[in-house]
Amino acid sequence: MLVVPLGQLPLWGPGADENPPSKPVLTRPATLRLLITVKAAPNPSARYGETVCVGALGLDTPWTGWIRLYPIHFRDLADESKFRKYDIVHLDALPARQDQRRESWKPIVDSITTEQHLTNQQSRRNLLDPLVEDSMCRLNEQTRDDPSARSIALVRVADISALQVKRHPGWSVEDRKKIAGYLHQLDLLEPSKRSPLQAPRFTGAYRYRCADRRCRGHQQTLWDWEFVALQRRLSQLTDAEAADQLKHKFLTQLCSADRDVAFYVGNQAARPQSFSIGGVYAPRRPTPRYRRRVNR
């Protein structure tokens, strides 16, 4: 069991607003300035072939706080519009009217521009640490009582008992129909062939306790783009070898004792009580020298 001591997070402020504002009603797109925090693994789409759900933090008023961007057909983005985790980007978007989740926006993908990549750990912590909250349990309770409750959070991890890595069962019948329909459209409209989205080799799920004293444990699927990308780089390894490498990266390294670990979590529009992990926030703890300098 990996334990994350609860007393090691002096920079983290109170949890997110329990009563965030309702989804705005706009007739024209708003321009958002965002810090990208989550790029989820792509999923099949009948219209685009594949789509990516992106989590971000709004940086400029009035559009501050957690924001979800969907759909983004990332593979089709122009090179200058492609972005990485912890990029600061600008884009135009409208609130997603067919999605009851208040954080959900529909991006205008050809408006995306990148301002800079936030490489400095302390700069990231200044923005993200005040939003870390203790209780995944409370988020679950809120969505049980109100399906339109908050659907995105950054949750502090008390301890992790396992990262389960299992063989992916392959796309569902519904997903295979989406892929086939999209490829049929391409045959009619475009002379060039395009490869269908391949299912990842493995699924991953963390078993952990949040920092709520009542917590009896959570098990949540990991849908991180980086988790799937690493699998592709390990394609020459056996299943056992590749699974060990994934656990080494996403458990031993990212969740090591010298890091302050929190999970970016989000729920599903069709199943608001079902949360999954979009990514791991794991800044290294300040060194003793750094802490002494801060405390002066």
Side-chain angles (χ1 to χ4, degrees):
M1 176 183 292
L2 295 179
V3 178
V4 181
L6 301 185
Q8 295 292 323
L9 306 177
L11 297 178
W12 286 2
D17 185 0
E18 295 294 342
N19 297 294
S22 59
K23 181 180 292 187
V25 177
L26 301 177
T27 57
R28 298 176 60 184
T31 298
L32 310 178
R33 180 171 176 260
L34 308 173
L35 173 67
I36 302 298
T37 55
V38 167
K39 271 176 59 182
N43 273 307
S45 165
R47 182 173 181 181
Y48 302 110
E50 61 193 66
T51 53
V52 172
C53 184
V54 171
L57 177 64
L59 300 178
D60 290 349
T61 56
W63 315 117
T64 56
W66 295 118
I67 285 177
R68 174 187 293 104
L69 301 173
Y70 183 85
I72 293 181
H73 32 110
F74 195 82
R75 195 174 359 172
D76 289 340
L77 289 180
D79 289 343
E80 62 270 17
S81 295
K82 290 184 177 178
F83 52 82
R84 297 179 289 164
K85 186 175 180 179
Y86 298 126
D87 275 356
I88 294 178
V89 304
H90 298 253
L91 75 156
D92 296 333
L94 279 163
R97 302 317 311 169
Q98 296 181 338
D99 188 335
Q100 69 179 352
R101 297 172 295 178
R102 64 191 75 190
E103 300 92 347
S104 295
W105 290 67
K106 185 174 182 179
I108 299 173
V109 293
D110 60 5
S111 70
I112 300 172
T113 59
T114 299
E115 176 185 317
Q116 64 172 306
H117 181 68
L118 212 58
T119 56
N120 182 270
Q121 175 176 285
Q122 190 56 44
S123 297
R124 296 178 187 176
R125 296 197 71 145
N126 290 341
L127 293 170
L128 293 166
D129 285 2
L131 299 178
V132 176
E133 52 192 287
D134 285 341
S135 184
M136 185 68 239
C137 299
R138 185 165 59 248
L139 285 173
N140 285 331
E141 292 165 356
Q142 290 169 350
T143 52
R144 281 196 295 267
D145 295 338
D146 178 9
S148 64
R150 281 190 305 119
S151 66
I152 300 178
L154 182 54
V155 176
R156 187 185 310 184
V157 174
D159 61 66
I160 302 170
S161 57
L163 172 60
Q164 297 178 332
V165 177
K166 297 181 179 180
R167 255 295 192 174
H168 194 288
W171 296 130
S172 67
V173 172
E174 180 181 355
D175 286 335
R176 292 198 298 271
K177 288 180 179 178
K178 291 178 181 178
I179 294 171
Y182 176 71
L183 293 177
H184 179 66
Q185 291 177 8
L186 283 186
D187 289 340
L188 295 176
L189 300 175
E190 297 182 11
S192 60
K193 292 287 185 179
R194 178 170 173 181
S195 60
L197 177 65
Q198 298 297 315
R201 186 176 176 185
F202 299 102
T203 63
Y206 281 106
R207 294 178 59 188
Y208 72 98
R209 286 191 311 113
C210 67
D212 192 315
R213 294 181 181 275
R214 305 168 298 160
C215 185
R216 301 179 65 181
H218 306 281
Q219 179 168 320
Q220 293 172 333
T221 303
L222 177 65
W223 291 116
D224 191 341
W225 175 291
E226 296 169 2
F227 183 72
V228 174
L230 179 56
Q231 295 179 37
R232 303 199 189 285
R233 296 196 295 272
L234 301 174
S235 60
Q236 300 304 312
L237 301 183
T238 66
D239 280 2
E241 291 169 339
D244 283 344
Q245 289 295 313
L246 290 167
K247 291 179 182 179
H248 178 73
K249 172 65 176 180
F250 284 87
L251 186 63
T252 305
Q253 289 187 344
L254 275 182
C255 301
S256 63
D258 64 341
R259 293 179 182 265
D260 290 328
V261 181
F263 290 151
Y264 297 103
V265 299
N267 67 3
Q268 302 175 24
R271 300 170 59 199
Q273 296 177 25
S274 178
F275 280 84
S276 56
I277 297 169
V280 181
Y281 177 60
R284 293 192 182 277
R285 293 205 179 104
T287 64
R289 180 180 178 184
Y290 175 81
R291 284 198 294 267
R292 284 197 298 271
R293 186 167 66 249
V294 168
N295 291 334
R296 285 173 183 167

